[in-house]
Amino acid sequence: MGKWHKRALRAAAVIGVIALAGWLWLKPATAPEKLIFTGGPIVTMNPLQPTAEALYVNDGRIAGVGTLAAMRAVAEGSGGADEVDMNGASLMPGLIEPHSHPIAAAQFAATIDASGFAHKNRAEVMQTLREGVTDSTRDWVLAFGWDPVMIDDLEPPTLAELDALSPDKPLLILTQMMHDAYANSAAMEAAGIVGDVANPPAGEFVRDENGLLTGTVREVGAIGVLFSAMPPPPAGANDLLLSLFFADYAKAGYTTVATMGPVGNDADPISLLKRRAGNPHSPVQTIIYGLPHQITASQTPEANAATAPVVGVKFWMDGSPYAGGAAVADPYETTPLTTERLHLKPGHRGAVMIPVADYEAQFADYHARGFQIATHVQGEMAVERVLDVAERVLAANPRADHRHRLEHNALITAEQLARAHALDITTSFFIDHVRFYGDKLPALFGQERTERYMPIGTALRAGHRVTVHSDTPATPIGPLSSLVTMLARQPNSGGPVVGAGETLSREQALRALTINGARQLGLESERGSLEVGKQADLVMLSSNLVTVPVNEIENTVVLGTWINGQPVDTRKATLTNAGLLWDIVVGMIF
Ligand SMILES: [Zn+2]
């Protein structure tokens, strides 16, 4: 054997050993088929048997809930089971997030965080942007989360400031509400926004009194012009970003996340979601509510919940309360916040966005095909339009268990909640608006409307099985934060409680995060509680959420989640992610 051959063999052996070690290190841990969890409180969310000493899992399903002795006896009959001693930790059904935007959130997570969640004042935001631009190795620098409602002194950046931040590279800063963005000269030039360029449909390139571009662009039509000028992400990058971001939901305790209107910079967001969430090692499961243009005319809902099915359709009936978009019955208040910061005219109301005939035709069509219809509503007028249309369509074409949905529901009235319940329309509340924006509500809507903002208690009293959502990236993933807000309704600023009459009991609030979410998604026979026959979707927590004091809830540590009885791997270095990274590298070389 020649010298060259020996060297090649030795190199091959070394590579083989490294690959084997890497594989052993990256490969997911698998649980035995039969497991008994015990040694801590097991909270089932099943009212017939709220707590148990032990839980028996067999082949991905819950096979027994009861005393340890009883579970051992059941397991013995099928050859015995391994036991997991929880050492005092608690076990619950895996949490359910009924409304999120994982692709957009995954992409924004890879940009500069300019949000009010991470900054107290304008100086801090500008410092973060300066550092972010300096550190960025990308062709375009993107920042997300500029929030003039949460941060009191956050005047819009001037074009001179934007160009000073990034003199050469395109820079785009997106606001938290995603209705405005700020672009430097390089970004506008790259997108052809120069000279006397005309405004695009559904958007505005804002100009100063001399007719010169200011760098501010308004609404989706104008922001889209900048986005389409951006170089596309390398092939495979979105898969890796989404895979990493799915793990963030799992780290927070979720096992199911509904994707509501898949938005984000990807050519085919639904296929992307199916590839990632349909993977057997996915950190979370998803079901999808597509946008109308993402659903073909002959399509019907997909049934297999394990494959990231498209089950519903998403509409926007109005906009964001913090950008003047809520279609309120009475105008916004006239205050410095609404006039000077949000540029609203006195007497402003947000528009009801979909004409009634158009919405009714689409509603009737999707309803007849069996889809679940979810509609974004914040102001009373938006809610009213959905209820009027739903009432007519359901009268003409009744369908049991349609579970059409109202999303966010900031100012839905008691009467509208009763009407919705009579139509079996379900409600999901964006409860953490109370935490993050509660102190600003009087300046936007006055005291009467502040007291009935996100009226989740009124919804319960009207018979709704309410759910709550974080609408990530609109607010960070945060089931424990939502839980505290449901119980206490205390704004972050420490100001007065918002709507004391709308607080929930611990039991009601925990149902909103588990079994009620399962029902809203049509998955209650499979998920949402610990009952024999359901999927073994579990979350283990350092404290018992039924008994831990409110002010200690957010110190709770998520110790792990299981999907179908298998532990979820939330490490960044997994075989799946290594494979996705390899795909990107190969794609860039060839
Ligand atoms: Zn949303």
Side-chain angles (χ1 to χ4, degrees):
M1 202 185 287
K3 207 182 210 174
W4 184 87
H5 286 93
K6 272 189 191 160
R7 217 184 288 161
L9 266 180
R10 214 177 301 143
V14 169
I15 290 168
V17 169
I18 291 171
L20 179 67
W23 184 78
L24 287 171
W25 179 56
L26 296 173
K27 94 182 173 72
T30 49
E33 227 164 66
K34 294 168 194 152
L35 276 178
I36 293 173
F37 290 86
T38 191
I42 294 174
V43 178
T44 68
M45 302 314 295
N46 170 11
L48 301 175
Q49 186 188 18
T51 57
E53 188 186 5
L55 179 96
Y56 172 42
V57 174
N58 186 353
D59 196 19
R61 297 262 156 190
I62 296 167
V65 185
T67 63
L68 179 57
M71 293 307 102
R72 281 177 177 159
V74 177
E76 210 51 59
S78 52
D82 289 35
E83 287 186 15
V84 179
D85 181 357
M86 304 198 292
N87 288 314
S90 78
L91 196 69
M92 284 186 71
L95 305 181
I96 294 178
E97 162 60 279
H99 180 140
S100 200
H101 303 276
I103 299 175
Q107 292 178 330
F108 289 150
T111 66
I112 300 169
D113 177 2
S115 74
F117 308 114
H119 304 91
K120 283 192 285 297
N121 54 49
R122 193 175 196 274
E124 286 184 12
V125 174
M126 295 304 277
Q127 181 58 25
T128 293
L129 288 169
R130 251 186 306 276
E131 289 167 7
V133 171
T134 310
D135 294 345
S136 178
T137 56
R138 294 156 192 253
D139 296 333
W140 275 61
V141 185
L142 263 177
F144 171 62
W146 184 279
D147 193 336
V149 179
M150 209 185 297
I151 299 178
D152 284 329
D153 66 344
L154 201 59
E155 292 298 324
T158 63
L159 187 57
E161 280 180 308
L162 292 160
D163 287 343
L165 280 169
S166 184
D168 305 315
K169 267 192 200 183
L171 165 68
L172 183 65
I173 304 168
L174 212 55
T175 60
Q176 185 66 34
M177 306 311 157
M178 296 185 271
H179 288 265
D180 292 349
Y182 308 109
N184 70 346
S185 295
M188 289 197 287
E189 224 159 87
I193 306 170
V194 289
D196 54 5
V197 60
N199 283 329
E204 181 191 0
F205 305 132
V206 177
R207 292 169 187 279
D208 64 16
E209 58 274 17
N210 303 317
L212 297 174
L213 293 160
T214 61
T216 298
V217 302
R218 293 234 166 94
E219 296 304 336
V220 61
I223 297 171
V225 172
L226 285 151
F227 265 94
S228 53
M230 253 178 247
N238 284 343
D239 282 81
L240 182 57
L241 288 177
L242 185 58
S243 184
L244 292 168
F245 200 76
F246 272 167
D248 288 348
Y249 292 104
K251 284 180 207 160
Y254 290 116
T255 51
T256 298
V257 173
T259 303
M260 187 57 67
V263 288
N265 184 13
D266 189 86
D268 185 357
I270 289 185
S271 296
L272 170 63
L273 285 162
K274 284 178 177 291
R275 275 200 306 279
R276 297 285 36 101
N279 179 305
H281 298 298
S282 175
V284 285
Q285 310 161 97
T286 194
I287 67 168
I288 303 167
Y289 296 76
L291 299 171
H293 74 266
Q294 294 169 327
I295 299 175
T296 62
S298 59
Q299 195 173 328
T300 51
E302 297 163 327
N304 184 352
T307 61
V310 178
V311 300
V313 59
K314 163 82 185 292
F315 292 98
W316 275 268
M317 194 53 83
D318 62 353
S320 166
Y322 317 108
V328 280
D330 297 313
Y332 277 71
E333 298 293 300
T334 300
T335 60
L337 176 61
T338 56
T339 55
E340 288 161 33
R341 193 62 57 73
L342 300 182
H343 318 286
L344 306 181
K345 295 196 173 70
H348 174 87
R349 285 175 242 219
V352 183
M353 294 204 287
I354 314 177
V356 64
D358 183 7
Y359 183 64
E360 190 157 344
Q362 295 199 67
F363 197 107
D365 176 36
Y366 286 110
H367 173 77
R369 284 148 73 186
F371 283 103
Q372 200 184 3
I373 299 164
T375 310
H376 168 122
V377 290
Q378 297 283 22
E380 301 93 332
M381 304 315 286
V383 178
E384 200 70 8
R385 176 148 305 171
V386 177
L387 293 177
D388 288 349
V389 164
E391 208 161 61
R392 287 196 291 271
V393 172
L394 289 166
N397 184 10
R399 194 182 106 203
D401 254 10
H402 56 79
R403 301 186 195 183
H404 298 318
R405 304 176 40 160
L406 292 170
E407 306 303 307
H408 311 321
N409 297 298
L411 287 164
I412 192 169
T413 66
E415 191 227 327
Q416 290 175 326
L417 281 163
R419 243 182 110 195
H421 181 59
L423 296 167
D424 201 18
I425 290 175
T426 67
T427 47
S428 192
F429 289 82
F430 197 163
I431 193 68
D432 264 330
H433 275 198
V434 165
R435 162 175 289 215
F436 295 119
Y437 300 101
D439 55 337
K440 303 300 191 305
L441 293 174
L444 292 167
F445 300 114
Q447 200 53 41
E448 181 268 326
R449 287 184 285 184
T450 296
E451 289 303 314
R452 62 178 184 85
Y453 205 80
M454 296 293 168
I456 186 168
T458 304
L460 263 167
R461 289 187 286 277
H464 285 266
R465 283 174 269 201
V466 296
T467 68
V468 292
H469 54 261
S470 296
D471 199 18
T472 308
T475 63
I477 296 170
L480 297 176
S481 162
S482 296
L483 176 57
V484 171
T485 310
M486 282 188 272
L487 300 173
R489 297 183 68 96
Q490 179 74 57
N492 253 355
S493 60
V497 168
V498 174
E502 300 295 340
T503 53
L504 301 195
S505 73
R506 192 71 68 106
E507 159 80 17
Q508 291 164 337
L510 289 173
R511 290 179 72 80
L513 295 171
T514 55
I515 186 64
N516 289 1
R519 183 184 183 273
Q520 187 161 52
L521 306 186
L523 297 171
E524 74 274 21
S525 64
E526 289 284 272
R527 304 179 197 170
S529 63
L530 305 182
E531 292 179 67
V532 171
K534 287 195 179 187
Q535 287 179 218
D537 290 0
L538 313 169
V539 57
M540 197 187 283
L541 300 155
S542 64
S543 59
N544 181 351
L545 295 183
V546 178
T547 54
V548 64
V550 178
N551 60 358
E552 287 170 28
I553 286 176
E554 288 183 85
N555 301 330
T556 302
V557 177
V558 175
L559 300 171
T561 56
W562 285 255
I563 293 175
N564 289 312
Q566 289 301 318
V568 167
D569 193 347
T570 58
R571 296 173 302 172
K572 284 195 167 68
T574 62
L575 271 187
T576 305
N577 291 342
L580 293 172
L581 187 59
W582 177 248
D583 289 347
I584 297 171
V585 172
V586 170
M588 287 166 96
I589 295 171
F590 298 105

